[in-house]
Structure formats: structure tokens, C-alpha cells
Amino acid sequence: MTTSESQHRAETAGPVVRTATGAVRGRHEDSLAVFRGIPFAEPPVGEARFQAPRPARPWSGTREAYAFGPPPPQDLGVQGNAVAAAGDPADDDWLTVNVWTPEADRSAGRPVMVWIYGGSYKMGHAGQPSYDARRIARDGDVVVVTFNYRVGVEGFTHLDGAPANRGLLDQVAALEWVRENIAGFGGDPEQVTVFGESAGAGSVASLLAMPRARGLFRRAVAQSLPGTFFSDELARDMAAALAAEAGLKPTAADLATVDPRQLISAGQALSAKMPGRIDSWGQAAPTVTPFAPIVDGDVLPTTPWQALTAGAARDVDLLVGHNRDEFRLFMAMGGMLGRITDDRLTQTLRLLAPGGEAGERAYRAALPDASPSDLFERVQTDWLFAMPTLHLAEAQLTGGGSAHVYELTLPAPGNGGVLGACHALDIALLFGTYHAVVGGLLFAGAEVSAETQELSALFRRSWTSFARTGDPGWPVYDTEARLVRILDTAPTVTAYPHERRRLLWEGYDFPALPLLGQRLPMGSMSTCTGVPQIRSTS
């Protein structure tokens, strides 16, 4: 074979980039160079099980980076085969990154956007079709990175003999990989934006508060930030209950004797029993998710709201927002639309609204014409997503930083529009993966209209503009005008549109959820209110 033939073969086979641990070969796809499944840490198994991530081992030769790495062990939820199809489930090389970068001039030093997936901290992986980043990279002329991190028992159960928040430590390791290697892919390590949705937004907020993550990114986007952060005591009590489901002690040594995939069933069993622990686990119990970032005083010293108020992220540009009808997705999937009784509403308002019984009365007075089902949805949306998101922006302002705020109000067209502007719709619009999100539920039976495609393009322009300049295209938020971008078929800028409900939460600081008093026997209060016992998709 001649020299020119060898060179042609290498070029057609795919682009090659040398990383700190070895060379990788990607693929040419739609004017992009795409690399998948690059290890950023050792497989967290054997002696590394339940420990902080360790640097990936170097390899010789050129590694083919053609396929996504396998997902971490997890509750499959409604994603089902989408998780299994991502890679060999017997493969332990969970901690991998993927890169989409424009082919033209890969020495340009483009802005870098690092996506963190959601999934209730118990499921999700970077290989999901809904996170195909080609449109963001191509339309915005940016480098996009996605990666896997440990979820569920492996990533967020609080065990003796193991650091807390291992999933967050994986995220820090991935960002360190970006800082060390992204220049070779055409990215600027000084222009990194982290962005994520739901549990991914909770992860972004956590990174803003974590000393270990300082300096690893310049900008941050939190989409539908959940307010659920666990206190150290609550997380340890949950860990003991989870280990008991497997007949074990809540230690890294004990749980390491069980295959990671076998522990999934213990987490599922505990989730099903969580509503019976409302007396000891309080607001966390109805979420049926025993995993969340833990305010352990070390990895995560305080809640994000406390950290930002104290100025921890004043030098980071922040973009936050939520969808108008976040909780309606869960109500639809749980068969609850139009089926909430006034008694159940009362219980939910007293559990979630600030002030207990006073909060119940205040919500009813603020929304006097709302049906029980509508008011149930509103308080769930506010407690879980809307108000934590808005308060993060306000904490950033208090700490000396700035923030831009948005609300998505476009209804999902699927199923006759019954889902409204629900949870996860922003993923479909941002990535342009309309029929891949939530199993296609959001666009089921509906065409993607030209107006929806235009809004999708606006999402990408705004997000990539923010990654490049810190300005998504509308004014910064302040506590006087409270201007936010309303994202719909006719986008506008207006004062935050839910002032009555915002005032109900004024002064609430979203503390880490505590461990309460003596628990009731398992199975008691099994009809308590809260998040339905379904598995979240984002």
C-alpha cells in the first residue's frame, strides 16, 4: 500500500485525536467528527467499587471510539430497551465520554457544552437517543460533550466506607477530562458550559456549590431544577433501609459483595415502600426516589441555594428555567389527571406548601378557581421544580452574580395536547429529538409543526449564544422587574407570570430534606399524597 493510499484510508476511517491516555478514532457524521465511549475513569468495580473515580488507564495504539459506552447499573424505568441497547450490560466500563465537534478547523477553540442527563438520580445514560447532540454542535458551531455517571445505589447511596455523592464525583472527573483533553477536539477549555435537565439540573446546581468543581466551567444552565437534596441523616437512614432489603449492612464492604445489577431490585423494593415512611422521611417519602445529592458537609458542603447566596458561584454565568406544567407528565403517567379528591389535595398542600395548614389556605386563596386536580398539579410543580429553579436565580443575585430566567409554555402536541408544557419537553426542543423523549409520548400522534421547529431552533441559538457570550438573548433577571423569557411559538419577555404563587414561597430556603421522628410500620399511610409511584424519565 502506498503512502497516499494509507493516508486516504485513515481519513475515510475517521478522525483521530490523541488524548492524555491514548489516541481515539471517531467517525465523520453530518459535517461533524463524533467520538463515543472514551473512558475518563477506570471502571468502578472490584477495589474501586463505591469509591471516588480513578483516572483511566492509558492504552497503546488507536482506540475505536465508535459506540457509546455501556450504561451504569440502573432502574430501567420507562426507558426499557433504550438503556439495554446502549451497550453490553455485562461491560463494566461505565464511565465514558462522547464528543461532537464541527469538522471545519478543529483548532478553532470553540465553546464547549457539557451535558448532564437526568433520571431521578437512579437512571439515565448518555447514549439515550434523546441526547443526540448533533444539532446543537452543528447549529451552534460548538463542541458538545456528554458522559455517563453512576446513578442509584452505585452513585448516591450513603455508605460507611465510601464517599458520599459518588455520582457527582464522577461528574467532576468528567469535567477534569474535558479540561485536560478538549483542546484536541477543537474546544476551548476556558469556555466550558455545563447544562442539564431535572436530576441533571440538580447536578449542575450541586457542581456550583462544590469546592472540587471550582474553575472547571465558566457557565451553567439548569433546566427544571428539582429541590430535593438530602440531609446526611436522612441519606444514612435511607441507606440502612435499602441495605436491609438485600439483607446487608449499609457499608461499602457489605454491598460490594453483591453484583451491582442485583442491587437494583433492592432500590426498587424500597421505592415501593417509601410512602409508608412519610413520618420519618417527610417530603422525601412520596417521591419514591431514595437517591439525591447529599449535603454531607464534605463533597457537597451546603445546599446550592445556601452556597450561591454566599457567593460561591458569583463568577459563573447562570441560565435557569422551568416548564409551566412540569408535574402534569407524572400525573398523566400515573393515571391521576382529573382524579384528585379534595382530601388528597388537602394532604398534599399541607405536606408541600410552606407553612403546613397555613400554606394550604394560602394556596387555595391564591388560586380560588382551580380544581383539586389543577391545584394538586400546581403545588407539586412549584415544590419540586418551579420554585427551586427561580430561587436559584435569586440566590445567585444575592451572592453577587447574575442570572437569566426562562419559562417554557408551549404545550406538548402529543395525545391531543393534554400534557401541556410538561416535564422533559425542553429536552425534545433543545436537542430536536422530538419522538425520542419519554418514549415518544410528548409528540405521539402529532406532527412537528413549523412553529415548533422554529422554537426548537431558538432553544439551540439561545443556549449556544449563552455558552459563547453569557447572553442568551434576553435581559438578566432582577428582583424588581423580574423579567423572564417566555418560550412559545411567539416568544416574549415579560415579568415572571406566576407572581401570586411566587409570593407564597418568598423567604423559603429549600433546606436539605431532614430525617424526622419515629417511623411508622411499613405499609402505613400507603395512600399518602405526593409523586405517583412511577419511574421518572428525566
Side-chain angles (χ1 to χ4, degrees):
M1 183 181 295
T2 65
T3 302
S4 61
E5 288 173 333
S6 298
Q7 181 177 358
H8 176 73
R9 182 174 179 179
E11 289 174 351
T12 56
V16 174
V17 172
R18 179 164 293 280
T19 73
T21 47
V24 292
R25 186 187 306 279
R27 293 188 185 278
H28 302 285
E29 299 179 12
D30 298 330
S31 73
L32 301 171
V34 183
F35 303 79
R36 298 180 175 91
I38 306 171
F40 69 85
E42 279 189 25
V45 296
E47 292 183 357
R49 182 93 179 273
F50 298 120
Q51 300 305 310
R54 302 176 180 181
R57 295 175 182 173
W59 58 84
S60 58
T62 300
R63 180 183 179 120
E64 291 184 348
Y66 298 161
F68 291 112
Q74 61 188 265
D75 185 334
L76 296 187
V78 298
Q79 296 165 3
N81 292 335
V83 174
D88 182 355
D91 190 343
D92 295 326
D93 207 359
W94 312 323
L95 303 183
T96 58
V97 301
N98 319 291
V99 183
W100 287 258
T101 184
E103 287 273 34
D105 188 12
R106 277 193 278 120
S107 64
R110 292 176 170 86
V112 181
M113 300 184 69
V114 182
W115 173 254
I116 305 177
Y117 54 77
S120 301
Y121 306 104
K122 63 182 178 182
M123 56 189 166
H125 64 95
Q128 291 173 232
S130 51
Y131 304 143
D132 182 347
R134 71 181 70 184
R135 296 170 187 82
I136 298 175
R138 186 180 59 222
D139 296 357
D141 194 35
V142 297
V143 178
V144 181
V145 178
T146 68
F147 64 90
N148 286 346
Y149 63 93
R150 282 173 285 182
V151 294
V153 178
E154 302 299 313
F156 289 97
T157 297
H158 201 354
L159 304 172
D160 289 340
N165 299 304
R166 296 173 297 280
L168 299 180
L169 294 176
D170 291 345
Q171 295 170 17
V172 170
L175 288 168
E176 291 172 340
W177 183 94
V178 168
R179 180 180 60 189
E180 188 171 7
N181 295 287
I182 205 63
F185 296 85
D188 181 354
E190 300 301 320
Q191 290 274 6
V192 174
T193 297
V194 291
F195 66 130
E197 184 266 353
S198 197
S203 297
V204 167
S206 298
L207 292 168
L208 288 167
M210 289 171 59
R212 289 171 172 83
R214 299 245 168 92
L216 293 177
F217 55 92
R218 183 172 179 178
R219 300 184 176 99
V221 183
Q223 303 169 212
S224 303
L225 165 66
T228 46
F229 286 71
F230 293 165
S231 67
D232 188 83
E233 297 78 12
L234 174 62
R236 288 187 182 279
D237 202 59
M238 287 182 168
L242 189 146
E245 292 291 338
L248 301 169
K249 297 178 182 178
T251 67
D254 251 33
L255 267 64
T257 64
V258 180
D259 183 275
R261 295 155 191 87
Q262 294 179 6
L263 286 177
I264 295 171
S265 60
Q268 292 172 329
L270 179 60
S271 292
K273 297 176 180 178
M274 283 182 68
R277 295 200 166 189
I278 195 169
D279 65 313
S280 56
W281 293 351
Q283 292 174 328
T287 68
V288 300
T289 301
F291 310 107
I294 303 159
V295 181
D296 66 319
D298 177 21
V299 176
L300 186 58
T302 67
T303 66
W305 300 272
Q306 290 173 311
L308 267 61
T309 296
R314 64 166 59 99
D315 296 327
V316 178
D317 298 326
L318 181 62
L319 169 60
V320 299
H322 63 82
N323 305 345
R324 183 187 59 202
D325 310 309
E326 295 273 7
F327 201 74
R328 196 174 303 177
L329 173 67
F330 306 113
M331 292 186 69
M333 295 174 70
M336 295 189 296
L337 289 177
R339 300 176 63 183
I340 302 300
T341 65
D342 197 69
D343 284 346
R344 187 173 186 186
L345 172 62
T346 296
Q347 292 175 345
T348 301
L349 288 170
R350 292 180 180 181
L351 178 67
L352 301 183
E357 292 186 17
E360 177 212 345
R361 293 192 296 271
Y363 253 90
R364 291 182 183 274
L367 300 168
D369 299 324
S371 68
S373 184
D374 288 343
L375 196 51
F376 180 89
E377 178 195 322
R378 291 267 67 86
V379 72
Q380 294 276 13
T381 288
D382 289 347
W383 174 75
L384 190 54
F385 296 114
M387 295 306 148
T389 298
L390 190 64
H391 280 224
L392 194 73
E394 295 181 353
Q396 176 74 334
L397 268 60
T398 301
S402 64
H404 292 81
V405 178
Y406 72 88
E407 182 183 44
L408 173 62
T409 60
L410 176 80
N415 297 284
V418 68
L419 295 174
C422 67
H423 195 64
L425 179 59
D426 50 316
I427 299 174
L429 295 171
L430 175 59
F431 285 86
T433 51
Y434 312 108
H435 298 287
V437 178
V438 198
L441 181 64
L442 306 184
F443 285 80
E447 293 186 2
V448 181
S449 67
E451 293 81 6
T452 297
Q453 293 182 53
E454 290 175 7
L455 180 59
S456 180
L458 176 61
F459 255 91
R460 290 189 288 279
R461 285 198 305 273
S462 299
W463 265 234
T464 55
S465 173
F466 178 76
R468 181 170 282 105
T469 68
D471 182 1
W474 64 87
V476 295
Y477 183 83
D478 62 48
T479 54
E480 295 181 2
R482 299 189 183 279
L483 295 180
V484 303
R485 180 70 145 174
I486 303 300
L487 293 168
D488 210 317
T489 52
T492 60
V493 174
T494 186
Y496 186 69
H498 310 295
E499 182 67 5
R500 286 185 179 181
R501 284 157 45 209
R502 185 197 68 78
L503 287 172
L504 299 178
W505 294 85
E506 198 166 47
Y508 189 77
D509 61 0
F510 291 93
L513 299 181
L515 177 66
L516 305 180
Q518 182 66 35
R519 70 172 64 97
L520 295 176
M522 278 291 189
S524 62
M525 295 194 69
S526 60
T527 59
C528 73
T529 59
V531 179
Q533 295 190 47
I534 60 174
R535 297 183 177 98
S536 173
T537 60
S538 57

